[in-house]
Amino acid sequence: LRACVRLRALPVKARQAKQARDSRYQTPINSASRHQNLNDVRLTRAASMSNGGEESAAKKAAAEGLVDSEGPTIFDKIISKEIPANVIYEDDKCLAFRDINPQAPVHFLVIPKVRDGLTRLSRAHEGHKEILGHLLYTAQKVAKDEGLGEGFRVAINDGPGGCQSVYHLHLHVIGGRQLTWPPG
């Protein structure tokens, strides 16, 4: 509800831009529960973005005890098609889709389809080497397909101090503009 109030308080152009950006993720939804899930995700995301972005979302996740939680995440719901996403690549091991809050002209995420305890990079063990390699290989493959031949950045946020807000390992691939150093 607060996110709706904040949305109305935005200037008209900003509100129209946000609504256009959100509409990219809308698909016909058959059940009321799926519709409610989608609205909950949008409101949560809008609230976190309006309150200082990913940093506040990461702090909120830590405060709510979501750090390293094995419960379903928003990414699990995207994998199971409960929540729509703009998927740009999929194979038997991973999924790549556009970030709902892009930080560059091209910004997508690459996630493993099966978490297998891989909630964050610092939880990886020897048995995760194959999927970690596959995620990086997929990141560069999709980056090339997206026209990022001149360069791109791969970022993995780890834990509250690393600004991780979803505890399902994911790679951010960012490009399409000159990136600067140091990042955030």
Side-chain angles (χ1 to χ4, degrees):
L1 183 58
R2 287 185 181 142
C4 291
V5 172
R6 285 191 186 104
L7 183 60
R8 287 189 192 116
L10 289 173
V12 174
K13 284 187 179 182
R15 183 171 58 239
Q16 288 171 340
K18 175 160 180 33
Q19 289 168 341
R21 189 171 60 244
D22 287 351
S23 70
R24 292 184 302 183
Y25 299 95
Q26 292 179 353
T27 59
I29 298 172
N30 297 330
S31 73
S33 64
R34 286 184 65 204
H35 183 69
Q36 185 59 45
N37 281 343
L38 181 58
N39 285 337
D40 290 347
V41 168
R42 284 199 183 119
L43 291 174
T44 301
R45 186 68 178 195
S48 70
M49 292 303 104
S50 65
N51 290 333
E54 290 298 319
E55 186 177 345
S56 68
K59 288 178 182 176
K60 183 178 181 203
E64 292 176 0
L66 299 177
V67 175
D68 293 326
S69 165
E70 287 295 327
T73 68
I74 187 172
F75 296 160
D76 292 310
K77 293 177 180 183
I78 288 171
I79 292 166
S80 68
K81 310 289 192 241
E82 291 177 54
I83 295 175
N86 189 345
V87 176
I88 55 177
Y89 178 85
E90 182 172 11
D91 64 25
D92 59 326
K93 296 178 183 176
C94 69
L95 185 71
F97 56 93
R98 298 200 189 285
D99 194 292
I100 196 166
N101 186 38
Q103 301 300 305
V106 177
H107 184 173
F108 61 90
L109 305 178
V110 182
I111 63 172
K113 285 186 169 180
V114 177
R115 266 190 293 169
D116 186 30
L118 201 51
T119 56
R120 54 197 275 194
L121 186 58
S122 60
R123 298 289 189 247
H125 56 72
E126 180 111 8
H128 291 131
K129 288 189 333 187
E130 182 183 343
I131 189 63
L132 292 170
H134 185 73
L135 293 171
L136 281 171
Y137 176 79
T138 300
Q140 68 80 31
K141 178 184 184 318
V142 177
K144 286 179 183 174
D145 292 347
E146 291 289 309
L148 299 180
E150 293 295 315
F152 54 92
R153 179 171 292 154
V154 177
I156 301 173
N157 301 336
D158 187 273
C163 212
Q164 186 175 3
S165 59
V166 179
Y167 284 84
H168 183 135
L169 181 75
H170 54 286
L171 285 65
H172 290 264
V173 181
I174 303 164
R177 66 170 167 82
Q178 179 61 56
L179 301 173
T180 59
W181 194 262

